[in-house]
């Protein structure tokens, strides 16, 4: 049986990873403290050892070949494994966990609880990307994402956090006055606040329903506007529950509609990383604890 081919020199892998990640020979040289010439030579050595071209060009901006993109994915996985194993071996080692979460979930649910994760896993550093945009999780840009969705892409593992119902909320004083009135009458007599994900026309099943007077792309902004009496708002009940419990908002009516659920999406390539396993387990534990308290 033949022995596997030896790994390319580590300096060539480091040079390739930096140029591929940063998209620039100059930026990679500054990050590594090397000259452009040294980086070019390291990448040339790597291409010679592999027998494939990794870059179409290196200047003015680096552009990878299809083979380069595939090899970059492999190098990123290799680096992640090295970091993960060192974390297991040394109490001084740290891991970086890259997550992507929506603004509302981040500010209303996750942020108040993160201190408990840090207490349990003090050597895991979290880098959070706050966005609702769709992600191609195959790029390796993040280790996991939380999304309000019912669609799970191929090559991605999903963990359900909770399903939502969408309810109408307003100030407690307004809710006390309007609670016994038909919901259609309440909606047509009040200014409407709307997040694009939670539309009044969908909630009322009216194609030409009343138009909102305020559209906020951050659900926290929409809730705060409703708290200040600027109108009534649609919101996922679970996310708004703390503000309802604090007496800042109240349900206007029993009418509700089922919504999608919050899920954790983990690329298959990252599923066995210690930081990912720890964070997913912590999230599920927090959800279970919250459910036990509120049930």
């Amino acid at each position: 049986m033949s022995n596997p081919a030896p790994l390319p020199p580590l300096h060539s892998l480091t040079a390739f990873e930096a140029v591929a990640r940063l998209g620039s020979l100059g930026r990679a040289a500054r990050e590594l403290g090397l000259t452009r010439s040294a980086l070019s030579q390291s990448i040339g050595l790597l291409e010679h050892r592999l027998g494939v071209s990794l870059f179409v060009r290196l200047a003015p901006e680096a552009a990878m070949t299809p083979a380069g993109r595939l090899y970059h994915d492999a190098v990123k996985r290799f680096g992640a494994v090295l970091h993960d194993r060192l974390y297991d071996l040394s109490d001084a080692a740290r891991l970086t966990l890259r997550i992507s979460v929506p603004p509302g979930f981040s500010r209303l649910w996750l942020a108040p609880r993160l201190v408990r994760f840090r207490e349990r896993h003090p050597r895991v550093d979290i880098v959070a990307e706050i966005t609702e945009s769709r992600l191609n999780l195959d790029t390796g840009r993040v280790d996991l994402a939380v999304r309000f969705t019912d669609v799970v892409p191929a090559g991605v593992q999903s963990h359900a956090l909770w399903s939502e119902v969408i309810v109408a909320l307003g100030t407690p004083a307004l809710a006390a006055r309007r609670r016994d009135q038909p919901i259609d009458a309440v909606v047509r007599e009040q200014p409407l606040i709307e997040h694009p994900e939670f539309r009044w026309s969908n909630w009322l099943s009216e194609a030409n329903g009343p138009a909102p007077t305020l559209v906020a792309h951050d659900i926290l902004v929409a809730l705060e506007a409703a708290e200040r009496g600027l109108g009534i708002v649609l919101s996922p009940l679970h996310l708004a529950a703390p503000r309802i419990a604090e007496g800042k908002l109240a349900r206007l009516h029993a009418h509700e509609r089922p919504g999608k659920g919050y899920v954790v999406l983990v690329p298959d390539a990252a599923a066995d990383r210690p930081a990912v396993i720890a964070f997913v387990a912590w999230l599920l534990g927090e959800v279970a604890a919250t459910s036990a308290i509120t049930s």
Side-chain angles (χ1 to χ4, degrees):
M1 179 183 293
S2 62
N3 293 325
L7 287 172
L10 187 57
H11 70 83
S12 66
L13 292 176
T14 302
F16 167 69
E17 189 282 330
V19 174
R21 171 170 47 85
L22 297 172
S24 164
L25 199 63
R27 288 191 288 270
R30 287 191 293 273
E31 178 179 284
L32 299 176
L34 299 172
T35 65
R36 297 187 183 200
S37 175
L39 286 183
S40 296
Q41 291 177 15
S42 293
I43 291 171
L45 173 62
L46 180 61
E47 291 179 324
H48 176 72
R49 290 286 294 270
L50 298 176
V52 296
S53 295
L54 300 174
F55 290 95
V56 177
R57 64 177 184 275
L58 288 173
E61 296 291 317
M64 284 185 286
T65 64
R69 288 191 291 271
L70 287 174
Y71 197 66
H72 187 221
D73 289 340
V75 170
K76 286 189 294 186
R77 290 195 296 270
F78 172 68
V81 170
L82 289 180
H83 280 94
D84 292 345
R85 295 294 79 80
L86 181 60
Y87 180 82
D88 294 335
L89 293 171
S90 171
D91 290 339
R94 306 186 68 84
L95 290 180
T96 297
L97 177 69
R98 299 161 301 168
I99 67 174
S100 176
V101 291
F105 177 89
S106 171
R107 298 165 71 182
L108 293 168
W109 193 89
L110 181 62
R113 295 170 167 81
L114 265 182
V115 64
R116 293 199 283 270
F117 178 80
R118 293 302 304 272
E119 290 171 349
R120 189 172 301 179
H121 303 281
R123 293 190 291 133
V124 176
D125 300 318
I126 295 177
V127 177
E129 175 184 89
I130 311 301
T131 179
E132 292 179 326
S133 63
R134 292 184 180 180
L135 288 175
N136 180 0
L137 293 171
D138 292 336
T139 64
R141 194 174 83 202
V142 298
D143 299 305
L144 64 84
V146 175
R147 286 294 183 270
F148 186 67
T149 185
D150 51 12
V151 177
V152 179
V156 173
Q157 299 181 17
S158 68
H159 305 270
L161 294 179
W162 65 79
S163 297
E164 278 287 6
V165 293
I166 311 304
V167 298
L169 303 173
T171 64
L174 177 63
R177 295 197 305 270
R178 298 288 190 171
R179 186 164 286 126
D180 296 330
Q181 296 183 5
I183 188 60
D184 289 351
V186 175
V187 168
R188 295 189 183 282
E189 294 173 8
Q190 298 295 323
L192 302 183
I193 303 167
E194 183 176 275
H195 183 284
E197 184 72 39
F198 317 113
R199 297 186 181 278
W200 284 99
S201 57
N202 295 339
W203 195 73
L204 294 168
S205 297
E206 295 181 10
N208 297 312
T213 58
L214 172 63
V215 176
H217 287 258
D218 186 333
I219 189 62
L220 180 58
V221 173
L223 292 174
E224 289 179 342
E227 289 175 15
R228 286 165 172 74
L230 298 182
I232 59 177
V233 65
L234 291 178
S235 171
L237 178 59
H238 197 102
L239 283 189
R243 304 179 101 78
I244 296 173
E246 294 167 3
K248 296 178 179 179
L249 290 168
R251 292 187 63 167
L252 293 171
H253 199 273
H255 181 69
E256 62 186 35
R257 286 200 176 276
K260 293 175 283 191
Y262 280 96
V263 297
V264 187
L265 303 175
V266 181
D268 289 343
D272 61 350
R273 295 199 61 210
V276 171
I277 294 171
F279 194 75
V280 171
W282 173 78
L283 280 176
L284 296 175
E286 285 289 318
V287 171
T290 302
S291 300
I293 292 172
T294 57
S295 62

